[in-house]
Amino acid sequence: MRGFFILLWALAILIFTCTASFSELIEFGQVHFQWDSHPNFSELLEPLPLELTRDFLLQKCGHAFAFLFLTILLQTKFRSNALILFLAISFASLTEILQLFFTRDGRVFDIAIDLIGILLATGSRSLFTTPQSKQTHL
């Protein structure tokens, strides 16, 4: 069942990141995909915009939250922090690359913002779990 929730959340992230217009999705609930078979991969390296609007910052908080929650779901399924980090970071990278194919803006700095959510979830897990002590037999 945990795997189902992970896949469901991953699908939600894909829909949010690949729909042609995020604002139309939010305002009207309209999901529309537009495929670009020859994206410009150099767009991945474009810097943050000079003007950081409220909508832009809100969208970046959404990035961090989406991957924080994905990481928490992964933590319920897997024990290995290395595996969890690999899966979450790989999926964050994949979504940014896929956005280029769906006429959206895929950026490396968005992967870094996703990483903030991933690391917050990973750090929170270590705060709320107690290390198991090894018992020695005499």
Side-chain angles (χ1 to χ4, degrees):
M1 187 57 111
R2 294 175 192 168
F4 173 75
F5 288 120
I6 293 168
L7 290 175
L8 191 63
W9 187 248
L11 179 63
I13 291 173
L14 284 174
I15 290 170
F16 279 116
T17 59
C18 292
T19 188
S21 174
F22 182 75
S23 60
E24 286 180 14
L25 173 65
I26 296 301
E27 287 183 45
F28 308 111
Q30 191 172 36
V31 176
H32 171 72
F33 300 107
Q34 186 175 340
W35 181 257
D36 178 4
S37 59
H38 301 291
N40 181 1
F41 288 101
S42 65
E43 290 179 13
L44 283 169
L45 301 176
E46 288 186 14
L48 279 166
L50 295 176
E51 183 181 341
L52 302 178
T53 64
R54 183 183 73 76
D55 288 342
F56 177 83
L57 294 173
L58 189 60
Q59 191 173 5
K60 300 312 159 192
C61 287
H63 270 261
F65 172 78
F67 282 89
L68 178 135
F69 191 66
L70 176 66
T71 306
I72 290 169
L73 289 173
L74 289 169
Q75 289 170 343
T76 66
K77 179 80 174 164
F78 303 106
R79 294 282 172 231
S80 168
N81 278 335
L83 177 62
I84 292 165
L85 286 171
F86 174 77
L87 291 172
I89 294 169
S90 296
F91 191 67
S93 302
L94 175 68
T95 60
E96 291 306 315
I97 292 167
L98 279 176
Q99 283 185 55
L100 297 174
F101 286 96
F102 286 94
T103 66
R104 294 280 308 272
D105 296 332
R107 303 284 189 261
V108 170
F109 68 75
D110 280 341
I111 297 170
I113 292 168
D114 298 341
L115 187 59
I116 291 170
I118 293 166
L119 293 176
L120 281 172
T122 305
S124 297
R125 179 182 187 187
S126 64
L127 285 175
F128 294 113
T129 57
T130 57
Q132 295 180 357
S133 61
K134 293 182 181 180
Q135 294 180 348
T136 57
H137 298 283
L138 297 175

